[in-house]
Amino acid sequence: MSTKLIVGCGYLGLRVAGRWLAQGDTVYAVTRSSARADEWRGLGIHPLIADVTDPASLRDLPVAETVLFAVGYDRSAGKAIGDVYVDGLRHVLDALPTATGRVIYISSTGVYGECDGDWVDEST
């Protein structure tokens, strides 16, 4: 049994949390939403109210054997994509306790729109 931390506990993060909980791990997860925090408590997840774009909100991250950074970009939050993915990751890395184990970074689980069977590449 070990301690895990998920930053970005949405579509992918919630599934990882379920697997970690099933193997008996203690799971913490960062959210900006107090409503989501209440939902997670019911699942056995320890919520932490914080925002990756606000370094001060990340001060109390726990020591974790594994950290999963799977933050999704929320267009409605009014933040630039670089503020979330680049600065947000930097803020989390800076805030993690020195005894933190491995960090797993998930860049995106986004999908592309219809391309009529054409190849999808960086310019799509």
Side-chain angles (χ1 to χ4, degrees):
M1 190 160 116
S2 63
T3 300
K4 312 289 189 179
L5 171 63
I6 300 173
V7 182
C9 196
Y11 176 79
L12 178 64
L14 198 54
R15 283 152 183 77
V16 172
R19 288 183 174 252
W20 282 341
L21 289 167
Q23 67 186 26
D25 294 321
T26 300
V27 178
Y28 291 86
V30 172
T31 182
R32 292 176 291 137
S33 164
S34 58
R36 181 163 274 183
D38 290 339
E39 175 188 331
W40 289 349
R41 279 187 197 93
L43 298 173
I45 299 169
H46 302 278
L48 303 168
I49 306 292
D51 184 331
V52 299
T53 64
D54 177 11
S57 71
L58 299 166
R59 288 189 186 137
D60 296 320
L61 297 180
V63 173
E65 177 184 293
T66 304
V67 177
L68 174 66
F69 187 92
V71 173
Y73 182 62
D74 178 3
R75 294 180 207 303
S76 68
K79 305 286 182 176
I81 199 164
D83 293 342
V84 175
Y85 285 124
V86 178
D87 296 335
L89 176 61
R90 183 177 329 114
H91 297 157
V92 170
L93 292 173
D94 288 346
L96 289 172
T98 56
T100 298
R102 74 178 145 197
V103 175
I104 301 168
Y105 175 81
I106 303 297
S107 62
S108 175
T109 58
V111 296
Y112 295 95
E114 180 58 48
C115 294
D116 295 322
D118 289 340
W119 282 97
V120 175
D121 63 19
E122 292 81 11
S123 65
T124 304

